[in-house]
């Protein structure tokens, strides 16, 4: 039986070898920018990591996440899903194994996530943290996301 862990380990191995990997995502933690169960992400080997990057990281020594970097203090990285209200995860720079470059929509179109509009949208979304809960509720109802 092939588990998610085996698949992710192989994806990380391929990315570290310089291969671009497309990986389906699950969950709601990256709403509204990535829709789990409907979209995929394209992963590439990170040259550097910066605040604002969406990355695949091994957090807290126990699980993989695709979340946005919100802080880097030396070797310590703090991540938070765009769809999260308060929760953060922590890892080291070495635990960041891939950088998400594109989101692949359900119709197969790849969208670069670091263009001007998406970057601006992510910055605005970060500032809307106090009301994200309400905005996400409305978004999930409009998009019929469970």
């Amino acid at each position: 039986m092939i588990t998610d862990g085996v698949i992710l380990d192989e994806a990380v191995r391929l990315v570290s070898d310089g291969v671009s990997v497309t990986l389906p995502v699950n969950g709601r933690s990256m709403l509204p920018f990535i829709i789990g169960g409907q979209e995929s992400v394209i992963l590439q080997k990170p040259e550097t990591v910066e605040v604002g990057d969406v990355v695949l990281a091994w957090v807290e020594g126990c699980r993989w996440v695709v979340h946005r970097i919100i802080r880097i203090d030396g070797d310590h990285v703090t991540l938070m899903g765009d769809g999260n209200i308060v929760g953060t995860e922590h890892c080291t720079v070495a635990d960041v194994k891939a950088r998400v470059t594109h989101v692949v929509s359900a119709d197969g179109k790849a969208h670069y996530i670091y263009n001007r509009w998406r970057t601006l949208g992510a910055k605005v979304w970060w500032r809307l943290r106090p009301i994200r809960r309400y905005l996400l509720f409305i978004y999930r109802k409009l998009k019929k996301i469970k």
Side-chain angles (χ1 to χ4, degrees), residues 8 56-65 67 88-90:
L8 286 166
L56 172 67
W58 181 250
V59 296
E60 298 162 2
C62 65
R63 64 190 169 100
W64 292 105
V65 298
H67 282 170
T88 59
E89 295 89 12
H90 305 275

Side-chain angles (χ1 to χ4, degrees), residues 68-89:
R68 191 176 304 275
I69 296 175
I70 61 169
R71 186 177 310 118
I72 301 174
D73 294 315
D75 190 44
H76 181 80
V77 178
T78 304
L79 303 126
M80 182 179 201
D82 292 335
N84 291 348
I85 308 301
V86 292
T88 59
E89 295 89 12

Side-chain angles (χ1 to χ4, degrees), residues 15-63:
V15 166
S16 71
D17 287 344
V19 177
S20 179
V21 174
T22 302
L23 188 71
V25 292
N26 290 314
R28 299 184 302 182
S29 68
M30 285 301 291
L31 286 175
F33 297 102
I34 302 172
I35 303 171
Q38 297 180 28
E39 296 180 323
S40 298
V41 294
I42 297 177
L43 305 172
Q44 292 185 346
K45 185 176 183 176
E47 298 298 320
T48 61
V49 292
E50 300 176 7
V51 170
D53 285 353
V54 178
V55 297
L56 172 67
W58 181 250
V59 296
E60 298 162 2
C62 65
R63 64 190 169 100

Side-chain angles (χ1 to χ4, degrees), residues 1-22:
M1 177 178 196
I2 299 176
T3 64
D4 288 348
V6 170
I7 293 168
L8 286 166
D9 289 344
E10 182 62 12
V12 167
R13 187 190 68 73
L14 290 167
V15 166
S16 71
D17 287 344
V19 177
S20 179
V21 174
T22 302

